[in-house]
């Protein structure tokens, strides 16, 4: 029996815009990966499965207990919880403490039950996860990767029948990602993975692709899916070329027929003028020629319409693999020192002193395990936090792009966001840039709050890189929410960028493709 089943499901936004339509599918395999472009509706699809959202049309049947990991952790960060409160064990730890202090009321023993070793057990497991062992440690001080590991650990321990993981490897360093792979492999229930991480997707038994045409299922891991998609792409390219040739041939044939008709008409006019043939005969020939020309024109129009409709259908398929462009401006300024850090220690993370110089042509990959202080260093450069010891000098403007897209104005349009931060750009330039990252026509007027995580990242990246005073870009895991094609395009754009940036990313391949010239380890 399927773990869940969707029957002819459609989902529309409140404004009436359709996200997807007529989707029917069943989850039978134990390991299934869902892929698709940013903004196509993968996260909403997962919420329909868990019944957090209801479909506009159709029915969803869920036949399993569910544990769900969502992309963002902002709500958890804002909740002001400790690790113990998040794990829902604070009441047990409080009862243990009261008993240890000599309070022997029965209610405390009832709360503890047989969990006398809970504190030491949790501390041991937290240590193995490279998390703080202090159960009263506030979640707000955890890095994005540490918080993700804590949430994932909680979900795996709960042992639901179905585990839905929405971009679980975002923010994870190499050891944490290895831990995640092992847990997915050993998990006894079903795993429904939403990800752009090809390493995780290659552990799946089946890949589902969500696109504007619906849902397509591929019977294998990501490598198999990619091979099949490549074959489909090549087939579509051949079809496009074939249709293009047919249109050119039809246009040439139409022109030849027009020229021949004009020649016959000229010959008939000459005969009529010379009087060499009877007028009745010439009129009959003219009527026949006019009728033939009308018939040819009608057939040509019908044929052109048929080929054009086929061309439009193939281009709709081609749109699924069309590469967008993230255009970054060039910087022609001479090399100068932008950041100088001497004998510094951070307020959080790695306690070892370090030195760092960044120049106007530097492309720095900032590396380190979760909790080492990478985001803290970026905030120090932004003057949002201070060094614990040491000196820092900043020579120029900086722009920080964080993991939560906090610079975006959520309740206004994409065009207004770009206009707010890039006042030197006119409306035409703004719309051209937005079209380059996939927001064409009316979609550029959508509110930011309705964008997916990947769409927000591409918009934010466009905004920070097109400000009037070209700043040093501080990029805190900008690749986390991007689909596979967009990640490759961003890496290529950063590689071609002549300005300076500091990149935090756990994806070594992405960093390498971005053209890194300098590595700094924390």
């Amino acid at each position: 029996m399927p773990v869940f089943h969707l029957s002819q499901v459609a989902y529309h936004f409140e404004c009436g815009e359709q996200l997807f339509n007529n989707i029917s599918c069943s989850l039978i395999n134990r390991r299934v990966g869902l892929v698709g472009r940013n903004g196509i509706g993968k996260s909403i699809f997962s919420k329909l499965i868990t019944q957090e959202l209801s479909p506009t049309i159709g029915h969803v049947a869920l036949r399993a207990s569910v544990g769900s990991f969502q992309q963002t952790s902002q709500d958890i960060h804002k909740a002001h919880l400790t690790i113990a409160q998040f794990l829902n064990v604070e009441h047990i730890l409080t009862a243990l403490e009261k008993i240890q202090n000599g309070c022997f009321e029965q209610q405390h023993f009832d709360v503890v039950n047989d969990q006398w070793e809970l504190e030491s057990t949790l501390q041991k497991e937290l240590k193995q996860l490279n998390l703080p062992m202090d159960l009263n440690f506030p979640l707000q001080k955890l890095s994005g990767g540490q918080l993700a590991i804590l949430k994932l650990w909680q979900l795996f321990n709960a042992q639901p029948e179905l585990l839905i993981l929405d971009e679980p490897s975002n923010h994870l360093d190499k050891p944490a990602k290895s831990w995640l792979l092992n847990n997915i492999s050993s998990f006894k229930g079903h795993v429904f993975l939403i990800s752009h991480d090809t390493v995780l997707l290659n552990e799946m038994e089946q890949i589902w692709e969500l696109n504007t045409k619906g849902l397509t299922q591929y019977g294998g891991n990501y490598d198999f899916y990619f091979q099949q998609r490549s074959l489909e792409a090549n087939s579509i390219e051949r079809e496009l070329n074939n249709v293009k040739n047919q249109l050119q041939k039809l246009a040439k044939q139409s022109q030849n027929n027009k020229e021949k008709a004009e020649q016959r008409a000229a010959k008939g006019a000459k005969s009529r003028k010379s009087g060499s043939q009877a007028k009745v005969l010439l009129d009959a020939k003219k009527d026949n020629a006019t009728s033939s020309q009308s018939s040819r024109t009608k057939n040509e129009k019908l044929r052109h319409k048929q080929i054009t409709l086929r061309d439009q259908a193939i281009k709709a398929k081609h749109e699924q693999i069309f590469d967008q462009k993230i255009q970054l401006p060039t910087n022609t300024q001479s090399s100068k020192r932008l950041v100088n850090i001497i004998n510094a220690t951070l307020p959080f993370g790695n306690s070892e002193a370090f030195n760092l110089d960044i120049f106007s042509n530097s492309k720095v990959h900032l590396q380190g395990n979760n909790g080492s202080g990478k985001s803290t260093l970026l905030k120090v450069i932004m003057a949002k936090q201070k060094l614990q010891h040491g000196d820092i000098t900043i020579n120029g403007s900086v722009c920080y792009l964080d993991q939560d897209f906090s610079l975006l104005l959520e309740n206004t349009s994409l065009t207004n966001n770009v206009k707010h931060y890039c006042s030197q750009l006119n409306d035409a330039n703004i719309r051209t840039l937005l079209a380059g990252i996939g927001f064409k026509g009316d979609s550029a007027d959508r509110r930011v709050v309705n964008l997916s995580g990947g769409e927000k990242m591409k918009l934010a990246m466009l905004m920070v890189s097109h400000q009037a005073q070209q700043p040093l870009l501080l990029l805190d895991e900008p690749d986390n929410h991007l689909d596979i094609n967009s990640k490759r395009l961003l890496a290529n754009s950063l590689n071609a960028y002549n300005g300076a940036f500091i990149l935090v990313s756990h994806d070594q391949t992405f960093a390498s493709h971005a053209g890194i010239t300098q590595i700094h380890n924390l």
Side-chain angles (χ1 to χ4, degrees):
M1 181 180 292
V3 175
F4 65 74
H5 175 71
L6 276 68
S7 178
Q8 298 180 320
V9 164
Y11 186 83
H12 301 166
F13 291 114
E14 292 180 1
C15 63
E17 181 184 354
Q18 178 180 290
L19 187 59
F20 42 72
N21 186 46
N22 197 28
I23 290 180
S24 297
C25 60
S26 297
L27 182 70
I28 298 173
N29 294 78
R30 290 185 63 245
R31 303 286 183 268
V32 174
L34 180 68
V35 300
R37 283 189 172 183
N38 294 137
I40 202 66
K42 299 185 297 297
S43 294
I44 287 179
F45 186 87
S46 73
K47 290 179 180 179
L48 291 175
I49 295 170
T50 60
Q51 300 180 339
E52 293 176 62
L53 294 175
S54 299
T56 308
I57 302 172
H59 176 69
V60 177
L62 178 63
R63 304 183 181 97
S65 58
V66 181
S68 179
F69 178 89
Q70 302 297 326
Q71 287 186 39
T72 57
S73 56
Q74 298 178 55
D75 291 340
I76 298 175
H77 261 137
K78 293 176 182 177
H80 302 287
L81 299 176
T82 65
I83 291 178
Q85 289 170 333
F86 175 73
L87 297 176
N88 196 29
V89 296
E90 184 186 35
H91 61 298
I92 302 175
L93 297 175
T94 300
L96 280 168
E97 183 181 4
K98 287 184 177 180
I99 292 171
Q100 290 168 358
N101 291 333
C103 184
F104 301 119
E105 294 181 19
Q106 183 60 42
Q107 62 183 13
H108 301 317
F109 289 90
D110 292 339
V111 170
V112 172
N113 198 0
D114 59 352
Q115 301 182 78
W116 298 101
E117 304 297 325
L118 177 65
E119 184 173 6
S120 59
T121 300
L122 286 177
Q123 287 175 337
K124 182 179 178 180
E125 294 189 24
L126 290 170
K127 183 178 180 180
Q128 291 176 343
L129 295 170
N130 292 317
L131 295 174
M133 294 173 61
D134 179 7
L135 291 166
N136 292 316
F137 193 88
L139 297 190
Q140 288 180 320
K141 292 187 177 181
L142 293 179
S143 70
Q146 289 175 314
L147 192 57
I149 281 290
L150 184 63
K151 175 64 174 175
L152 287 165
W153 174 61
Q154 181 191 48
L155 285 172
F156 281 118
N157 282 344
Q159 290 291 318
E161 295 169 302
L162 170 63
L163 195 54
I164 297 179
L165 304 178
D166 192 352
E167 300 288 4
S169 61
N170 283 359
H171 311 299
L172 297 189
D173 56 24
K174 190 174 180 179
K177 190 171 175 180
S178 177
W179 173 89
L180 174 60
L181 280 167
N182 290 334
N183 276 271
I184 288 176
S185 177
S186 61
F187 184 67
K188 295 180 181 179
H190 292 259
V191 172
F192 188 70
L193 171 71
I194 303 170
S195 182
H196 303 302
D197 190 321
T198 57
V199 175
L200 295 183
L201 291 170
N202 266 332
E203 298 299 314
M204 300 297 106
E205 302 167 4
Q206 194 177 29
I207 299 296
W208 294 1
E209 182 190 55
L210 187 63
N211 56 49
T212 55
K213 297 299 178 182
L215 185 74
T216 306
Q217 300 182 13
Y218 295 82
N221 65 6
Y222 182 81
D223 285 344
F224 176 82
Y225 157 79
F226 184 78
Q227 182 182 31
Q228 295 301 307
R229 290 289 277 125
S230 297
L231 293 174
E232 292 173 13
N234 291 335
S235 175
I236 290 171
E237 290 291 346
R238 288 195 297 270
E239 286 187 74
L240 280 175
N241 289 331
N242 184 34
V243 168
K244 181 180 178 181
N245 291 334
Q246 288 185 47
L247 287 172
Q248 291 175 344
K249 184 178 180 180
L250 184 62
K252 185 176 180 180
Q253 183 180 347
S254 178
Q255 182 62 30
N256 289 337
N257 290 339
K258 182 180 178 182
E259 291 174 356
K260 288 180 181 179
E262 289 174 349
Q263 291 172 359
R264 286 193 295 269
K267 185 177 179 180
K270 184 177 181 181
S271 296
R272 184 183 296 275
K273 187 175 182 181
S274 65
S276 59
Q277 295 187 41
K279 183 176 182 298
V280 174
L281 180 60
L282 290 173
D283 287 344
K285 287 183 176 181
K286 181 179 179 182
D287 290 342
N288 287 335
T290 300
S291 177
S292 297
Q293 177 63 27
S294 176
S295 179
R296 280 195 298 272
T297 301
K298 185 177 180 180
N299 288 335
E300 286 170 3
K301 288 182 177 179
L302 179 61
R303 178 64 176 153
H304 187 273
K305 182 179 180 180
Q306 291 173 339
I307 297 175
T308 300
L309 288 174
R310 185 183 170 202
D311 182 52
Q312 291 172 349
I314 297 170
K315 284 180 177 177
K317 294 181 182 178
H318 188 263
E319 182 68 20
Q320 304 304 321
I321 57 171
F322 176 74
D323 283 345
Q324 299 169 357
K325 296 180 180 179
I326 302 177
Q327 300 176 356
L328 301 183
T330 58
N331 179 4
T332 57
Q333 66 182 10
S334 58
S335 180
K336 67 176 183 179
R337 181 181 287 166
L338 300 178
V339 178
N340 179 225
I341 301 176
I342 301 174
N343 196 28
T345 55
L346 297 171
F348 302 105
N350 196 331
S351 59
E352 294 183 9
F354 66 93
N355 300 313
L356 179 61
D357 281 325
I358 297 172
F359 295 85
S360 56
N361 58 355
S362 296
K363 296 183 177 182
V364 182
H365 186 196
L366 186 57
Q367 297 182 345
N369 290 338
N370 293 139
S372 62
K374 300 182 297 296
S375 295
T376 300
L377 176 55
L378 297 188
K379 290 176 182 177
V380 167
I381 295 174
M382 271 288 290
K384 298 292 185 182
Q385 292 187 15
K386 294 182 179 181
L387 290 171
Q388 188 169 10
H389 299 290
D391 298 307
I392 179 171
T393 302
I394 307 295
N395 182 23
S397 60
V398 297
C399 186
Y400 176 55
L401 182 57
D402 66 1
Q403 300 166 357
D404 298 327
F405 329 112
S406 58
L407 81 164
L408 296 180
L409 308 174
E410 291 272 319
N411 292 313
T412 189
S413 68
L414 280 70
T415 52
N416 285 341
N417 266 268
V418 180
K419 194 177 299 183
H420 178 78
Y421 285 95
C422 311
S423 57
Q424 81 283 4
L425 298 177
N426 60 37
D427 289 347
N429 288 336
I430 290 173
R431 289 191 175 273
T432 298
L433 290 171
L434 288 172
I437 58 172
F439 300 106
K440 301 176 182 178
D442 292 341
S443 65
D445 296 317
R446 289 168 58 189
R447 288 196 306 156
V448 169
V449 70
N450 293 324
L451 301 183
S452 71
E455 289 175 316
K456 287 180 180 179
M457 179 55 73
K458 287 192 284 187
L459 173 63
M461 188 69 206
L462 185 150
M463 287 161 47
V464 301
S465 61
H466 283 82
Q467 295 181 57
Q469 297 297 322
Q470 194 172 65
L472 164 66
L473 302 183
L474 307 179
L475 308 175
D476 198 348
E477 303 192 57
D479 53 312
N480 267 353
H481 299 280
L482 296 182
D483 60 43
I484 295 166
N485 287 334
S486 297
K487 181 181 285 194
R488 174 172 52 81
L489 289 168
L490 175 58
N492 292 340
S493 298
L494 289 173
N495 194 313
Y497 183 51
N498 289 329
F501 62 77
I502 303 175
L503 171 68
V504 176
S505 175
H506 294 299
D507 189 330
Q508 296 291 335
T509 301
F510 172 77
S512 175
H513 289 169
I516 292 302
T517 61
Q518 181 180 343
I519 295 175
H520 183 78
N521 287 289
L522 285 178

